[in-house]
Amino acid sequence: MKIWPDAIYHDKLKSKITGEEEEMSLFHVTRRGLMAAGTALALTLGHFGAAQAQTPPGVLIVGQIAEPKALDPAAVTAVNDFRILMNVYDGLVRYKDGTLEVEPALATSWEISEDGTEYTFTLRDGVTFHDGSAFNAEAVKFNFDRMLKEDHPFHDTGPFPLAFFFSSVVSTDVVDEMTVKFTLNGPYAPFLSNLAYPTGLIVSPAAVEQHGADFGRNPSGTGPFRFGEWRSNEAVVIEANPDYWDGAPDLQAVVFRPITDANTRTAEMLAGGIDLMVEVPPVALSEFQGDAYTVHEQAGPHVWFLILNAKEGPFADKRVRQAANYAVNKEALVNEVLEGTAEVAAGPTPPAFAWAYNPDLEPYAYDPDKARALIAEAGAEGAELTFFVTEGGSGMLDPIAMGTAIQADLEAVGFDVKIETYEWNTFLGEVNPGLEGKADMAEMAWMTNDPDTLPFLALRTAAWPDQGGFNSGYYSNPEVDELLEAARVATDQAERARLYKEMQTIVQEDAPWVFVANWKQNAVTSDKVENFSLQPSFFLLLDEVVKN
């Protein structure tokens, strides 16, 4: 990749590099935060021939793929936001480092009733929120009642799009100051795993009461970092919490910079303007092979797919949906566009969930002739398709290049495809409420914590957008609904696996999506960064990272 001077810009400032050395201030981080920590964060960029940006020790600059939507964990859905939130908040439980296994966090232990409907947690003593208020059982009850009870005085601080995770909760009860009990409407196998997900992170009730609907811009948790400042489209700053119950972090602060364009993010990393870059474009990986960088990779439960509008238009016919699966050359996408950083997806469940994945499924073959035959059989020759594509986003890989290649494949079998491109948060605002009346198809990617999560939230009939779910293509199959409901309450993992595998077979045949890719996530760090590792959850955990 050749990096032109004009490709390097910071925030709203763009440097026109000349023959004379030029300095420019890139950040002015919060005085209250970093200046108090004894760090002046002023980065400079000299003559391009020796591009050098100095980032200070103890302050980690992270290149994010987009601006966060909010910093309220109950109100957001994107991994881009979760990467910040997991450093500001804790849950009752968390994923053990390097795994998706659950371990204690704000709860030190728990007991499960014999019938699987009651979970009683003993809470950690001596923990306070960043605003100084106490963490206790009342705080836990406040959090879940806020999400789940429409009559809660702060339910209007939502909406809470992933409250589905806890739809089995009948009540959250305070047993005593440091003991809380959840009563479920039946056994629910993913419950502990969902508590470890960002939707289960515990926020300060006092901060919610103080800020109301603006809490998402004024967060307060119990995590290793506390909120410093959020300057829209520039940076979110979090500062070390010296009183963190699990040990103060090594870093003084972390600055999350939204750099939507992948080429610009790459240029920033090469110029030294950021220390950590997530979601490195496949074509840029070769730029980071020297000793000055470390490329990190980690397999995880990811699936990239196309949502097809099964409610109206050409894709209301299963034959046309299957035709789209045959028309798209997925091998070319993963090997050429993604340069071998992903594998072709066979269905809705990522193979990272080895115990629940159906290995008997073969991906749809690339077969344009079969696609044309199915389109002719359905009478859909020449059908016009509106295709929503995003500029970037969590797990979206190289969405514009992928979208362009997919458009060409679909047009080669007779479709007339019009692409509409959106910035990530705008894109989610168009897609999540449903495609009806707007589009025939849309790109999407999910990184999930349990094989239940994605199909339950995006393939059930009861997960149509008007019911609060993410089934934006309106797929409906009662047999799939029954299998997913049964898998949720099955306590035997082998039985859960059987149900999920059967679901995958049906969904692949119904083709509500074009199943495209399963990605191995990546990131790159500079040689100043130590103790960083990626997590299979796709979150960033920065409390043990060192920045020299």
Side-chain angles (χ1 to χ4, degrees), residues 79-97:
V79 169
N80 182 68
D81 300 14
F82 296 163
R83 288 175 174 140
I84 302 174
L85 299 178
M86 294 299 289
N87 296 285
V88 176
Y89 300 94
D90 296 301
L92 296 179
V93 296
R94 64 189 179 189
Y95 297 125
K96 189 176 180 179
D97 186 34

Side-chain angles (χ1 to χ4, degrees), residues 473-506:
Y474 315 98
Y475 171 63
S476 178
N477 185 319
E479 192 174 0
V480 168
D481 296 342
E482 291 173 9
L483 289 166
L484 290 171
E485 292 290 352
R488 287 194 118 200
V489 301
T491 55
D492 178 70
Q493 189 175 83
E495 175 61 8
R496 287 186 76 201
R498 184 191 69 78
L499 295 164
Y500 288 132
K501 290 175 181 178
E502 187 175 346
M503 174 274 296
Q504 291 164 59
T505 300
I506 297 169

Side-chain angles (χ1 to χ4, degrees), residues 280-289 295 297 338-339 341 522-524:
V280 184
V283 295
L285 283 171
S286 61
E287 302 281 344
F288 300 108
Q289 297 306 309
V295 175
E297 291 186 329
L338 301 180
E339 301 207 357
T341 59
N522 62 40
V524 63

